Structures are given as structure tokens and as C-alpha cells.
Amino acid sequence: MLPLIVDTDTGSDDAVALLLAAASGLGDIRAVTTVAGNVPLATGTRNALISLEVAGRDDIPVHPGCECPMTRMLSTAQHVHGHDGMGDISLPAPVRDAQPEHAVDVLLNYPHRHPGELTLVTLGPLTNLAVALLRDRELLGRYRHVYCMAGAADMRGNISATAEFNVWADPEAARVVLESATPEQVTWIGWDVSRKDAVMTPADQLWLEQLGTPMATFAHRVNRTLAEWAQAVTGLAGYDLPDPVAMAVALRPELIAEQEQAYVGVSLGQDTRGQLIIDRRRCAPAPNVTLVRRVDEQGFKQLLFDTCAPEGHR
Ligand code: RIB
Ligand code: CA
């Protein structure tokens, strides 16, 4: 099992990613850290606690982090995931509280205690990781690997014409991470991957719902608002699952069908805020990230269904 730290802005797709990490049998979550993004920090923290309870893992500590981007005002995605980030289906409150240690301290301290052992998966704006990097520029290399659901390598955005939400929400944080990264340390899984290889069609949604387990029902119901938004805005054949496909890549890197190493920057501009700038010229700086471009769609969906299936049907 893969020792993990998960940094999340727990909206409804993050919740499914947490189920994969906690209940697939592939992940060993040591801590969850939360960051403002999809929803305000307190709401995302609540959603992380709820999701871990659904996965049967209310032993995993949850640590709140930064409640706003590094320099900008917080712009949430509640129009996508619902006011509560979980489809507004009146989920019961979590039975336990978050931990007092700040998320940034967790991101800094855990890899010092377990050098080279932990995999970090980020599912929201990169604010916590960037603030930690301002305190330890070598932090990325202290992890076994860092996977980020971040950006859109094809410049086709979801929150704007060219930007993906996690990078758009805190582009300065994304820049700090990109300026500290190497392709050997950091892998980015962008919205272009989710849009192509992680779209839950109506048939997939029905399959998930009919599994009938508490996790399957939860995963289906919390994405109610996401499904409505996707149908109205994206033109995709269903709703896509960016965080779960990024988590699946971290848990099973063999699901990567296509990847490249590239030098990636990020625009801080007004109209192009959060757009990735990928320099493939011969004179470009050395690559700084590994970009996943395609994933084995069936393998990803099978992992999701197996995780949510009744015991004995996996
Ligand atoms: O652009 C997709 C990302 O933005 C996902 O992490 C989703 O949860 C939202 O935070
Ligand atoms: Ca997210």
C-alpha cells in the first residue's frame, strides 16, 4: 500500500478521490490536509471528514490549511459542486473534528519524519504546498513523488476559456510549485486528461448507482450538482472526475497511457490567469514537470467501480 498525504479542497470529485485513496486497498493515507478552493476552508474540511467516514476511515487525521490564495481573494466553485461542495444533499455532520496542527506544518514535518517514503497527491489549489515551499525550497524532493491535479495542458479550460480551476484559483501558488519542481519529483494530471479519459457517461453513472453500497450511493449522489453543471456547460457526455483520475494515477501509475516531460509556466495575467504556458522550443528551460496526457479510461473506471462494489465483488 502506498503511504499517502492528500491535500484537498473537498468538493464532490475530491470526495470520490478520497474514497479511492482510503478504500481501494492501494493507498495508506497518513494524513489529509485541506485548502480553500471549491468551497471555503471550513466546508472543505467538513467534507473531508464526512468522506473519510463514508470510507470507514475516521481514524485518518484531517488538518485544515490556508483559507485563501497567496495573494488573491478566494473564488470558490460552489456553482459547480453545490453550496456545500457535495451536491447539497443534506449530508449529516461529521462525528469528529479536525486536528489542530496546520496543514502547512503537516506537509513540512511528515516527509522529515519519513524521508522519501510519502507520496503527496494535491487535489485543489496549490496554496498549502506553495506556502510550505516558501519555508523549505527542497520540500518536493523529500517526498517519494508529488502528483497534482492541476492545469489544462491543452489550454482548454473549465473555469475560463484557457485555465483549469486549481491553477486559476491560486496561480501564484502554482508558479511557486512549478519553479521548485523537477519532472522526477512532480507529475501533473490536467483537466485535459479528465475531459478525455474520466467522463462518467449516463451508463457509468447508472452502473455506479446500481452497485448500491454506501460508498457507491455517496459517490453518485454528491456529484449531483457537478452532473448538472457539466451538462449545461461542458458539452461532455457526462460529468468528469479530475481528482479521482489523478488519484488513480498516483495509486496505479501503470494507468498512464501517455506522458511527456516539459517546461511549464503559468500566466498571472488578467485574461489568461491560470493558463499553462508550455515551452517546447529547443531553447526552452529544462523540463520541470511530467505531464500526463492520456490515461487508461477503462482501467480507471474499473478501479472506481471495484472500490465502491460490495465486498467479495471486487
Ligand atoms: O478543475 C478541476 C479541479 O477543480 C478539481 O480539483 C475540482 O475538485 C476543482 O477543485
Ligand atoms: Ca478538487
Side-chain angles (χ1 to χ4, degrees):
M1 292 173 78
L2 190 68
L4 283 175
I5 293 182
V6 183
D7 188 75
T8 173
D9 61 338
T10 326
S12 57
D13 67 312
D14 305 65
V16 178
L18 286 171
L19 298 184
L20 288 180
S24 65
L26 299 173
D28 171 16
I29 306 178
R30 305 291 178 83
V32 170
T33 54
T34 58
V35 65
N38 278 322
V39 290
L41 178 67
T43 307
T45 302
R46 177 186 186 273
N47 294 344
L49 289 163
I50 291 169
S51 302
L52 292 170
E53 285 176 20
V54 172
R57 293 301 312 276
D58 61 2
D59 59 303
I60 295 172
V62 176
H63 296 265
C66 297
E67 56 187 347
C68 62
M70 291 182 79
T71 66
R72 300 172 188 253
M73 296 296 290
L74 173 63
S75 297
T76 68
Q78 288 166 287
H79 61 292
V80 175
H81 297 275
H83 182 72
D84 72 355
M86 302 282 266
D88 295 329
I89 55 173
S90 306
L91 289 166
V95 297
R96 66 187 175 118
D97 295 324
Q99 301 298 310
E101 186 180 11
H102 194 279
V104 171
D105 292 326
V106 169
L107 293 181
L108 285 164
N109 298 335
Y110 272 53
H112 274 284
R113 291 199 288 266
H114 309 280
E117 180 186 336
L118 297 168
T119 293
L120 172 63
V121 182
T122 70
L123 305 175
L126 292 163
T127 317
N128 286 340
L129 182 54
V131 171
L133 279 165
L134 297 183
R135 290 169 54 185
D136 176 3
R137 213 60 178 172
E138 304 305 317
L139 181 63
L140 296 175
R142 304 189 199 284
Y143 283 93
R144 181 169 184 259
H145 202 79
V146 178
Y147 294 88
C148 302
M149 191 281 128
D154 62 358
M155 317 307 162
R156 179 169 164 178
N158 53 13
I159 191 68
S160 75
T162 59
E164 175 278 324
F165 175 78
N166 289 338
V167 174
W168 177 90
D170 196 344
E172 285 77 10
R175 177 171 285 189
V176 169
V177 173
L178 287 167
E179 290 181 347
S180 309
T182 69
E184 295 72 28
Q185 295 167 342
V186 179
T187 295
W188 274 28
I189 305 97
W191 194 61
D192 46 312
V193 173
S194 181
R195 191 166 57 76
K196 294 171 190 164
D197 301 323
V199 175
M200 293 290 281
T201 65
D204 294 326
Q205 295 173 41
L206 184 62
W207 184 266
L208 181 63
E209 185 182 18
Q210 285 182 338
L211 287 174
T213 61
M215 278 198 286
T217 304
F218 173 79
H220 174 71
R221 294 184 64 222
V222 295
N223 283 296
R224 182 181 67 87
T225 310
L226 176 62
E228 292 168 359
W229 175 83
Q231 185 170 18
V233 172
T234 65
L236 296 174
Y239 63 83
D240 66 292
L241 289 175
D243 294 341
V245 74
M247 181 60 73
V249 164
L251 295 170
R252 293 188 53 203
E254 69 274 18
L255 290 175
I256 297 173
E258 185 184 325
Q259 68 179 31
E260 63 173 322
Q261 294 191 353
Y263 178 78
V264 179
V266 57
S267 170
L268 306 179
Q270 180 66 30
D271 296 334
T272 56
R273 164 185 173 175
Q275 177 182 322
L276 298 189
I277 303 163
I278 302 177
D279 192 342
R280 294 187 176 88
R281 297 171 302 167
R282 287 180 181 273
C283 63
N288 53 353
V289 292
T290 295
L291 279 175
V292 174
R293 302 307 310 266
R294 297 303 298 262
V295 162
D296 170 1
E297 176 182 355
Q298 291 317 310
F300 159 62
K301 291 180 178 179
Q302 196 56 56
L303 175 61
L304 173 60
F305 296 144
D306 289 350
T307 299
C308 294
E311 293 288 340
H313 287 76
R314 296 184 175 186

